[in-house]
Amino acid sequence: MLRSRMLRPLGRSFAHRTVRASRPYNGTTTGPHTTYFQPPPQPSGSPRRIWRSILLGSTCVGIGAYAHSWLYDLPFLGIGDGEEMVDGDMQRVEADILGAALAEASRCLSARNTPVMDLDMCEMVLQPASGYAVTATAISHFTQLASNLPCEDTFSSGAYTYEKDPAKAWCEWGLFDGHAGSRTAELLSQILAGAVGEKLWDEGCFDRPYKPNDTFIIDALKTAFKKVDDDIVKHAMELVRSGQPDRATIVANIAMALSGSCALFALYDPVRHVLRVANTGDSRAVLGRWDGQKYIAHAMSVDQTGFNEQEVERLKRDHPEEDVVDPKTGRVHGIAVSRAFGDARWKWPQEFSKRAHELFWGPSPRPDRMIKTPPYLTAEPEVMETVVEVGERPDFLIMATDGLWDNMSSDDAVACVQLWLDKNKPTTFLEQPQQSPEVLSPPNLLKPAGQPPPVWQQPKVFPPWLANSFTPSYSTPAEVSGEDEDVYYDKDERCLKWKVSPKHFINEDAHCGIHLVKNALGGKRRDLFTGIMSVQPPLSRNVRDDITVHVVFFGVDGQQAIKH
């Protein structure tokens, strides 16, 4: 959910606006459904019809309240003063969370009632969680499909605008894949882009002449990431050490350090056409580049797990007397990634993890035999760079959390987007009549030091159903009958699995993010797709992880959309 405001003139030479998803009734659910050995009594009427009615009712209420606050410049849900925030960023965050809670009711209903998901109901789930983020030089199609309750993925997108020229704005897109809860990922979606922009501005990176793999800019990105993680982990450790009598304050404030999150952050300089991707964890970025005949996948990140030989060597250097990585599972003392934000149990001395557990209801510490020379994890990213091609067939970037890559290879993801481009244009939705208010969030996250710093600028964001004037194509019974060798029971994981390949792809969605997710979960195999979508928490986590996707198209002109 995002508070809606018209774009107002900026009195500064450099502006930085935050980005949220435009989703009138999207979000994450608030709690799991209680299961019983005997099924609860069924209501009189069709459960499917009741579920649809409640979903439609909650959606209409949410959209109505949202539109009222936008039209009259009023605070949404009574929080904030409309024009500016009294307490700055924290109050904005609280408003966003409370507003999203109304939208999240629809997903919670599906978890409680386990509806039979046909194609139409799958669209009802995917569309509100998707949208478009528009800057002057690039357009992102983003979507999210939750599996956890609440969803542990979050994301961001925006632009650092200076000299009041949107064509020079550096664009950013971020994905934050949380684990052991969503608190760290939620915090990163609120503050990381601002911290990166502040560091780049302080170091003069925006006007710096281009130099391939410029260590000056790369070091600035790494410093910003590490500074944010240090603030999270060390602040929480000091609270645990303090032993203050205000237990509630300590419990609430150490939560961001006890959970963890990966971070994938792309930064694009449209003047020099330079794309830099900073990665901490196992989310992945892949560039699609035309080779004269088709789009080819080029890695823009490397998964940072115990299966990455460079990561294993790094951990051996840092902890020479310990067996940190399990070679069979690739886990680092039990955790699946070798770099992450938060995850204090792998960074604190053991006595602080024990104290947090014993006095403040923190998670159980790792065994003493494991935690000898922390920290074992770092938030320092690895940064990859390329010069983007923006000609007749411009590059595109796929960013996704590991929920997508669990089911789809990088090559197949690029082929899937190329299939979509054969029938669609990234800007088609801009040609549709706009039926919902533009979404802009103006808070300045950075404080000036000398000259005014960048302000994270949110692109215009549109819901995908504005462009959904298409005729779906459906598979025939013959196509889904019989045995499918690409759907099989995995004896090791004890779960029904499926393989994804271009032969299963279908091209029916005007939104590229939805197109990618649907094909990763079955494509034209309708029975498989609707079956996967029908599995609700907590069982859904055994079938698929949270999936969040940015598909960024370069070489497009979004200036008219920004202007109007």
Side-chain angles (χ1 to χ4, degrees), residues 310-322:
Q310 293 181 340
E311 288 296 281
V312 173
E313 290 300 319
R314 177 181 64 82
L315 288 166
K316 285 182 178 179
R317 290 194 305 269
D318 294 344
H319 310 278
E321 303 299 324
E322 301 177 58

Side-chain angles (χ1 to χ4, degrees), residues 23-63:
R23 31 191 167 174
Y25 53 99
N26 174 53
T28 56
T29 54
T30 56
H33 170 55
T34 302
T35 57
Y36 301 88
F37 290 104
Q38 295 181 348
Q42 296 298 314
S44 55
S46 167
R48 179 188 184 81
R49 182 175 299 173
I50 293 173
W51 191 88
R52 284 180 182 270
S53 300
I54 298 176
L55 173 62
L56 179 61
S58 63
T59 298
C60 291
V61 171
I63 293 176

Side-chain angles (χ1 to χ4, degrees), residues 488-506:
Y488 60 97
Y489 181 77
D490 189 314
K491 293 182 179 179
D492 293 332
E493 296 193 28
R494 300 180 180 181
C495 183
L496 187 68
K497 295 289 187 178
W498 65 96
K499 296 179 182 178
V500 173
S501 69
K503 69 180 181 181
H504 301 303
F505 290 167
I506 193 165

Side-chain angles (χ1 to χ4, degrees), residues 144-167:
Q144 184 175 84
L145 177 63
S147 180
N148 291 294
L149 287 178
C151 179
E152 294 180 341
D153 286 2
T154 61
F155 59 98
S156 71
S157 60
Y160 305 96
T161 303
Y162 63 99
E163 298 179 4
K164 297 184 180 179
D165 186 354

